[in-house]
Each structure stands twice: as C-alpha cells, then as structure tokens.
Amino acid sequence: MTDEAELRARVKALEALLVERGLIGTDTVDRIVEVYESEIGPLLGARVVAHAWTNPDFKQRLLADATAACWELDIGGLQGEKLVAVENTPEVHNVVVCTLCSCYPWPVLGIPPNWYKSPEYRARMVAEPRVVLAEDFGVVLGEDVEIRVQDSSAEMRYFTVPQRPAGTEDWDEERLAGIVTRESMVGVAVL
Amino acid sequence: MKLELPAVPRSNGELVFQSPWESRAFGLAVALAESGALEWDDFRVQLVRAIEDRDPTQPYNYYEYWLNALEQALVTTGVVDTRALLASVKSVLDHPEH
C-alpha cells in the first residue's frame, strides 16, 4: 500500500497547485467538505421518501423522474443528474450497488459508506443478493419476493423508496422522515 | 417549494473519511467539477480504471484510487502537467510545515 504520508503530501501538493493556478480558492475544499459532512446526507433522502409516502401524486412524479421530483424539494446537484427512484413493495425488493466504482446518489444519500465502496459488496450483491441481504444485513426475504439488483452508473443513480411500515398511517411527514434510514434507501434494510 | 428539515440526526456516527487527506481529495474533485475545470465523467472513467488496476494483494484503499484518478484526469485533460504536479509534491515534502 502506498504510504499514508505520501498520499497526504500528494493531496496537499495538488490543492496548492490548483490554488496557485486560480482554479480553486483557498477555502473551497473546506467549504465543500463541510457541506457534504454536515448538510448533505440521508436526511435529505428521508424527506423525499416521507413526502412520497404521504403524497401519491409526488410519488408518481418521483418514480417517473426522480431528478425533477427531488428538485421540487430543492434537492439536487452533483451526482444527482440522473436519479432513479425505485419502489419496494411486498412483491419486489430493490437493492442498489455500483459494480464499476461507487456511483451513488449524493444529493439524497450523501457520501457513500465504506461498505458500499468495498469490492466484496460490489461483487457479491450481484452474484448472490438473497444471501448477502440475509447474512450481511440481516434482511431475510420470503422466497416469493423478487429481488432486483440495480446497478448504478453515471447514467442511472438509483435509490429505493422503502415500504412504509404498518402502524404509521396517522404519522405526519416529519415524523415519518425520522424513521427512514440510509440503509433502507440503498435496499439493504427494511423498515 | 421547500419543506422544513425534519428533526433527524445529521450524522449516523459513522466515519465517512478515515483520515483528513481523504476528505481533501474528495473535496478537490467536487470543487473542480463544480467550477467546470474538470468534467465529472472524465474523472469517473479514471476512477473505474484505477479501481480495476489496483494491486489485489494490497488492502483496498478507495481514496488512494480516487487520488490516482483525480491526478490522472487532470493530467489527461491538460489542466495540470505531470512536471508541475511533481514539483509541487517535492515542495510540500521539502517544507512539511507549509
């Protein structure tokens, strides 16, 4: 493995060079990291899902064109150009992976977690999704439930709309958003 | 139309970056894509290649591939040249307090 000190030096050198060339400002990277670490994350996707659960018209628009529907809630941006929302139902369970690299719907889910980027997840979820869901994530699905593995790419960045749990019929949108997890929107958890 | 932010935790307690240089490398790519200096797809092509070309006997280090890809994309598209990049690395190593 490349030495950590070398990697640190290379990143620092690249940033210094880009600042010197006027391609970025001195605080540009700080600002971006701050935004992605504190403001952009699964809570945005949770708002989208809760809104879809409570507004059938919005859900239709979300499933038809997720990028446009998310913009209705002021959610969008880099890596959000080709968002695709897929709905989990009692019959069909969608789970998201990126086999080539780590394509991920940043505007709704933030920066991908380490397990999503790992070679094991990327390879095994495609080869044996039912086993991975059960053994690695504790999601045991009935044999009658069809599993669809959605392979994200630069053209299609998937996230799932999980099933709304029973017993939440009288909950308002804000309360519903509070129970929607990142894992449920990748399809490796059910609520 | 804008909804109120629901009162859910902003962080799930998981470290997204293992060390600060990883977040800098992430931020650099995003900054250049936002400013238009780098096409995201040019970067992504290099990222896919860097992950494919990794040494499988070594531990998987995602942001190392990310950094390799970013340097490669910037050199390939002519945003920076290798000589300037190496000179900058040398300058950082020679002046670690900078």
Side-chain angles (χ1 to χ4, degrees), chain A:
Chain A
M1 192 171 101
T2 310
D3 182 79
E4 283 275 313
E6 185 207 311
L7 293 166
R8 275 202 304 277
R10 278 166 56 198
V11 171
K12 208 169 177 180
L14 183 57
E15 182 171 358
L17 184 62
L18 294 167
V19 169
E20 188 189 303
R21 300 270 171 96
L23 290 167
I24 58 172
T26 50
D27 62 349
T28 307
V29 173
D30 290 321
R31 179 181 54 76
I32 287 170
V33 171
E34 163 70 19
V35 165
Y36 273 90
E37 283 191 330
S38 63
E39 291 172 27
I40 299 180
L43 79 163
L44 297 178
R47 283 169 54 204
V48 173
V49 168
H51 198 51
W53 281 345
T54 51
N55 295 266
D57 290 345
F58 176 78
K59 185 161 100 178
Q60 271 197 346
R61 293 198 298 279
L62 181 69
L63 297 175
D65 181 347
T67 300
C70 287
W71 272 124
E72 292 179 35
L73 308 184
D74 275 345
I75 294 171
L78 193 62
Q79 298 240 30
E81 299 85 359
K82 306 274 173 54
L83 294 178
V84 180
V86 284
E87 185 182 19
N88 284 348
T89 67
E91 293 81 32
V92 177
H93 183 90
N94 294 277
V95 61
V96 181
V97 68
C98 172
T99 51
L100 278 181
C101 50
S102 51
C103 293
Y104 195 68
W106 289 359
V108 283
L109 294 183
I111 302 168
N114 287 317
W115 57 260
Y116 185 84
K117 299 176 300 197
S118 73
E120 296 79 16
Y121 176 77
R122 288 163 41 229
R124 288 187 58 223
M125 187 54 92
V126 174
E128 43 179 13
R130 202 174 290 273
V131 175
V132 176
L133 281 172
E135 290 182 0
D136 295 38
F137 294 98
V139 177
V140 179
L141 298 168
E143 286 299 323
D144 55 332
V145 178
E146 179 193 347
I147 300 178
R148 291 187 191 155
V149 179
Q150 306 288 3
D151 192 357
S152 280
S153 67
E155 300 305 314
M156 306 270 238
R157 295 174 194 284
Y158 290 98
F159 67 102
T160 73
V161 178
Q163 291 187 70
R164 181 173 175 168
T168 61
E169 291 74 15
D170 57 348
W171 289 23
D172 67 14
E173 214 171 301
E174 182 175 333
R175 192 171 170 202
L176 287 168
I179 61 165
V180 182
T181 62
R182 175 183 65 195
E183 279 70 16
S184 72
M185 291 181 281
V186 180
V188 297
V190 292
L191 300 174

Side-chain angles (χ1 to χ4, degrees), chain B residues 50-60 65:
Chain B
I51 290 172
E52 279 173 359
D53 291 349
R54 73 179 187 279
D55 179 351
T57 66
Q58 296 295 317
Y60 191 81
Y65 316 139

Side-chain angles (χ1 to χ4, degrees), chain B residues 3 11 25 34 38 44 46 59 73-74 93:
Chain B
L3 294 178
S11 164
E34 282 187 352
L38 179 67
R44 187 179 167 275
Q46 298 295 341
L74 290 171
L93 290 173

Side-chain angles (χ1 to χ4, degrees), chain B residues 23-88:
Chain B
S23 66
R24 310 301 293 178
F26 169 83
L28 280 171
V30 173
L32 293 166
E34 282 187 352
S35 77
L38 179 67
E39 285 292 328
W40 191 259
D41 279 351
D42 290 335
F43 168 67
R44 187 179 167 275
V45 166
Q46 298 295 341
L47 180 59
V48 170
R49 188 170 299 164
I51 290 172
E52 279 173 359
D53 291 349
R54 73 179 187 279
D55 179 351
T57 66
Q58 296 295 317
Y60 191 81
N61 191 354
Y62 178 78
Y63 281 103
E64 180 180 338
Y65 316 139
W66 179 285
L67 177 60
N68 292 345
L70 181 57
E71 290 171 341
Q72 194 61 44
L74 290 171
V75 169
T76 307
T77 57
V79 178
V80 299
D81 59 87
T82 310
R83 183 181 300 194
L85 212 48
L86 290 174
S88 188

